[in-house]
Amino acid sequence: MTHPFRLDGRIALITGGSSGIGEATARAFTRAGAAVIIMSIEPARAQAVAGELANSRVILCDITDEAAVAEAFRGIGRLDILVNNAGIGLVGNVEETSLGDFQRLFRVNVEGMFLVTRAALPLIKASHGSIINIGSVAGMIGVRRRFAYCATKGAVIALTKQLAVDYPAEFRVNCICPGTIDTPFVEGFLEKYHKHEKDKVRQELKQRQPVGRLGRPEEVAALALYLASEESAFMNGAALPIDGGWSAA
Ligand code: NDP
């Protein structure tokens, strides 16, 4: 195996590929030889990222819009790898969570993943491809004041395992469960909920993970690359924490 983890000639679609973990994954995949489709709702950022990557293009699409997802897939002829990465967060225990916020989180994190996966399925089946869902440690353990977020990420793990059982010979599907990763997602959380105590809370986030630091988007992207590549041919239906030991503590 002289050149492991190569994706030469493969076509990958990454939802939310213009930021954070999705962006790092787009960079890792193109470096490994794949052509990448960045699916995003943020035109400027998506074009900026695609502009830096040789073999990439942008499809603007809100993954919660069924008609828009169907339209987006009309423009895709082949697909080998799908990374369901787009997602949003929310802070609050059950009493602090409004029905509207709960539904909004499920619309993006779960319904969006369902719509994109269903639309991609004929192409992924045809290529015997690999689906990689981005879940979270929050789907595996209870995280304080993340009622809706934990519920959505638990659903992501469940739908991953279910798909692996229905289609074991057609494609592979696995779920990555990151701990806290240093992305705009976390910065946005600090800005919104802890504007005046960012450093203190950032320190708490680090200490929550036994290795004592936040993860880097590139570290999650490396696991996505493994799951996309032939080297992971025996991996199916797995939910893999990558969390500096958080879920082990
Ligand atoms: P970012 O906020 O940096 O990226 C999320 C991406 O999803 C953005 O590009 C965003 O677009 C996109 N997105 C959101 N809603 C939609 C939508 N309706 N349609 C299309 N795209 C959409 O976050 P991260 O990179 O940190 O997170 C990526 C994934 O990783 C998420 O699923 C998150 O839950 C998960 N995760 C993150 C962790 C962390 O600590 N960072 C930990 C565990 C899991 P836009 O920029 O336009 O809003």
Side-chain angles (χ1 to χ4, degrees):
M1 201 186 285
T2 46
H3 298 292
F5 314 120
R6 292 297 304 174
L7 302 178
D8 300 288
R10 309 280 176 80
I11 301 175
L13 185 150
I14 304 170
T15 66
S18 61
S19 173
I21 292 169
E23 176 185 345
T25 303
R27 292 183 188 280
F29 281 15
T30 52
R31 271 198 305 275
V36 169
I37 301 166
I38 294 172
M39 185 171 274
S40 175
I41 42 175
E42 224 287 36
R45 182 83 196 125
Q47 294 297 352
V49 173
E52 291 177 30
L53 304 178
N55 208 355
S56 68
R57 69 181 169 110
V58 173
I59 295 183
L60 291 177
C61 175
D62 180 342
I63 61 165
T64 67
D65 181 338
E66 185 175 14
V69 171
E71 175 60 26
F73 273 87
R74 274 192 276 279
I76 304 173
R78 214 191 89 205
L79 193 64
D80 303 289
I81 301 154
L82 168 64
V83 184
N84 279 312
N85 163 76
I88 57 174
L90 181 75
V91 172
N93 65 26
V94 63
E95 294 168 285
E96 294 164 332
T97 301
S98 72
L99 177 61
D101 278 341
F102 188 79
Q103 289 172 332
R104 184 169 57 85
L105 241 68
F106 265 86
R107 277 203 67 163
V108 177
N109 296 359
V110 185
E111 274 186 43
M113 192 174 285
F114 156 59
L115 291 174
V116 173
T117 301
R118 192 181 59 179
L121 222 67
L123 300 173
I124 290 287
K125 282 162 78 177
S127 65
H128 290 284
S130 174
I131 300 178
I132 298 148
N133 295 329
I134 307 298
S136 170
V137 157
M140 305 180 116
I141 61 172
V143 180
R144 285 167 63 86
R145 297 188 65 223
R146 299 291 187 281
F147 175 71
Y149 188 67
C150 284
T152 63
K153 293 301 186 177
V156 169
I157 294 172
L159 71 83
T160 301
K161 290 178 186 287
Q162 197 285 330
L163 284 167
V165 169
D166 265 351
Y167 299 95
E170 287 88 348
F171 57 83
R172 298 186 299 114
V173 53
N174 292 287
C175 181
I176 296 178
C177 300
T180 307
I181 311 296
D182 198 358
T183 71
F185 184 92
V186 172
E187 275 313 305
F189 152 79
L190 291 171
E191 181 65 30
K192 183 169 177 187
Y193 296 101
H194 301 282
K195 201 172 169 50
H196 304 295
E197 48 170 10
K198 278 193 197 175
D199 287 341
K200 175 178 158 275
V201 176
R202 195 178 284 112
Q203 208 50 36
E204 287 168 7
L205 294 179
K206 289 179 185 172
Q207 278 159 6
R208 190 164 68 171
Q209 311 191 129
V211 296
R213 66 170 175 87
L214 301 188
R216 292 189 288 274
E218 295 74 21
E219 293 171 319
V220 181
L223 180 53
L225 175 60
Y226 167 67
L227 291 173
S229 72
E230 276 309 305
E231 280 70 23
S232 65
F234 198 53
M235 297 285 303
N236 199 18
L240 302 165
I242 173 166
D243 62 0
W246 180 7
S247 59

